Amino acid sequence: MYKFLIRVLATIAVFAAAAGSLPGFAVAQEGMRAVGSLSYVPEPAREQRGIFNLRSSDENVRAVRIEAVSGSADIVEIRFVFRSGVVERVRMGEKLRPGGLTGTVRTNTSRPLQRVEVSFVPTGSVTLVLRADTRAPAPPPPPPAPPPAQWREL
């Protein structure tokens, strides 16, 4: 019976020493110094380019927004490529989080669009959606009314 009690007390002393409750063990820890360190920095993602090809029915698009449906990304630039081959670049610099939208980006011309290209840096897996104002452009204003007739012309 005494041997069992001595084993239990010895086991308790070992656990107490490991926990730092014994004064000799605490002194041993205080004398330790850092001899190395380890840090992890993830590799930066590379810039990606996504292309949204437009149908001929959507070539009148004048304003777009980019939505991050899932994941997040840093939008760097949007390029409007017109059917004539002219390219219009718009620098963005916006950070999109899941469900977020960029501000509205408008083209400066009324030429028909062929595609919209987006340069972005993803942070993990991301799905981007192009939102566009596909309403037909406003009709031109009517010509001015002729001047009123004068008595001399009658």
Side-chain angles (χ1 to χ4, degrees):
M1 175 90 171
Y2 291 111
K3 287 182 181 181
F4 176 73
L5 199 54
I6 290 174
R7 284 185 192 161
V8 170
L9 290 175
T11 305
I12 291 173
V14 168
F15 285 122
S21 63
L22 295 178
F25 188 74
V27 170
Q29 276 188 346
E30 289 173 5
M32 292 184 181
R33 62 182 176 84
V35 293
S37 66
L38 177 68
S39 61
Y40 174 73
V41 178
E43 186 176 319
R46 288 190 236 154
E47 186 174 306
Q48 304 291 320
R49 175 161 294 187
I51 298 174
F52 297 101
N53 290 312
L54 299 177
R55 297 183 298 250
S56 59
S57 61
D58 294 333
E59 67 184 9
N60 291 327
V61 168
R62 298 292 165 256
V64 298
R65 296 178 83 179
I66 305 294
E67 178 183 9
V69 175
S70 65
S72 57
D74 297 336
I75 306 298
V76 178
E77 171 185 79
I78 294 179
R79 293 174 49 162
F80 296 102
V81 180
F82 298 95
R83 294 222 183 269
S84 62
V86 175
V87 177
E88 184 179 317
R89 295 174 54 186
V90 179
R91 296 268 180 198
M92 295 292 291
E94 289 191 35
K95 295 182 183 296
L96 285 184
R97 302 295 169 234
L101 284 165
T102 63
T104 302
V105 181
R106 300 183 194 289
T107 64
N108 292 327
T109 63
S110 60
R111 298 182 188 122
L113 269 175
Q114 180 180 6
R115 67 181 180 267
V116 177
E117 298 177 358
V118 180
S119 297
F120 62 98
V121 179
T123 52
S125 178
V126 65
T127 302
L128 299 177
V129 173
L130 179 70
R131 302 275 180 202
D133 182 5
T134 57
R135 294 177 287 191
Q150 295 180 358
W151 285 103
R152 283 182 282 163
E153 297 174 354
L154 294 175

